[in-house]
Amino acid sequence: LYSLSPPTLSGWHGGTVAPYGVSHDQDRMTAVETACADYWAALLAHSHGAAEIEALCAECTGNEGLMNMVYQLMDSDDSRTATNALWLLNHLPKSEDVWLETHRADLIARTVAEEVSGRRRMQLCLVSRLPFGADDVRIDLLNFCFDHALQPRETAACRALCVKLAYELCRHYPELLRELHITLREMMLDPLPPSVASAVRSVKRHLPKTWKV
């Protein structure tokens, strides 16, 4: 796999990423971009261990063009390529969170639409890296977090991430914190997996002490 010869990308920083659900016009891509896309699609079409993903991630870090290329490969028709692209993005260092921020709306749209639990967890991990200020509340994302936090059939990892992300979305508004409080209280009516219970306890520490959960 690694015997493939990467195209020369010196000085190239790539184009913009099309919004989720919008097809990319391949006719507009330069020969270098096409060669790069083919190379990375071939790399990500194979099974990789964590160490290999880390090595590929190191190649992308600091290169916005390559990161955009990998981002586009999340839309690959090949499920392994799409999943590996998402896995790679999850391994980007925190220094690239500013780049992730430029894809805020698209990342959220992908998260609330994702139907595969493993990919949903990775999408949630990316969204959780975004800053959420008072003006960044997305009601569709908040409803998604409430719904999936309450679903016993959802994976524990996704439920825990939803609890933490819901707090980030609610923390600027007392009325939303009340909604979160009600959701947590409903969750605690049933036994919770350890990771979910830990997330609930963590959020409870940030709620007013007079609120009984």
Side-chain angles (χ1 to χ4, degrees), residues 33 35 52 57 62 69 74 94 116 121 159 162 191:
E33 288 174 312
E52 292 171 308
C57 184
M69 184 68 67
M74 288 196 296
K94 288 188 66 64
V116 179
R121 175 185 59 79
R159 294 182 74 188
C162 283

Side-chain angles (χ1 to χ4, degrees), residues 20 103-114 127 138 140:
Y20 176 58
H103 303 297
R104 171 187 290 271
D106 190 64
L107 283 170
I108 292 173
R110 290 173 182 273
T111 301
V112 299
E114 184 56 62
V127 173
R138 284 275 300 263
D140 58 340

Side-chain angles (χ1 to χ4, degrees), residues 91-107:
H91 282 74
L92 289 174
K94 288 188 66 64
S95 59
E96 299 299 352
D97 285 359
V98 174
W99 173 79
L100 284 176
E101 171 71 10
T102 66
H103 303 297
R104 171 187 290 271
D106 190 64
L107 283 170

Side-chain angles (χ1 to χ4, degrees), residues 141-150 166 170 176 179-180 183:
L141 179 60
L142 181 57
N143 287 337
F144 171 90
C145 289
F146 283 163
D147 290 344
H148 284 263
L150 286 165
C170 292
L176 292 182
E179 291 296 324
L180 177 58
T183 300

Side-chain angles (χ1 to χ4, degrees), residues 126-155:
L126 289 179
V127 173
S128 295
R129 292 172 61 168
L130 303 174
F132 284 94
D135 297 327
D136 297 319
V137 177
R138 284 275 300 263
I139 297 302
D140 58 340
L141 179 60
L142 181 57
N143 287 337
F144 171 90
C145 289
F146 283 163
D147 290 344
H148 284 263
L150 286 165
Q151 288 180 12
R153 293 185 179 180
E154 179 59 277
T155 64

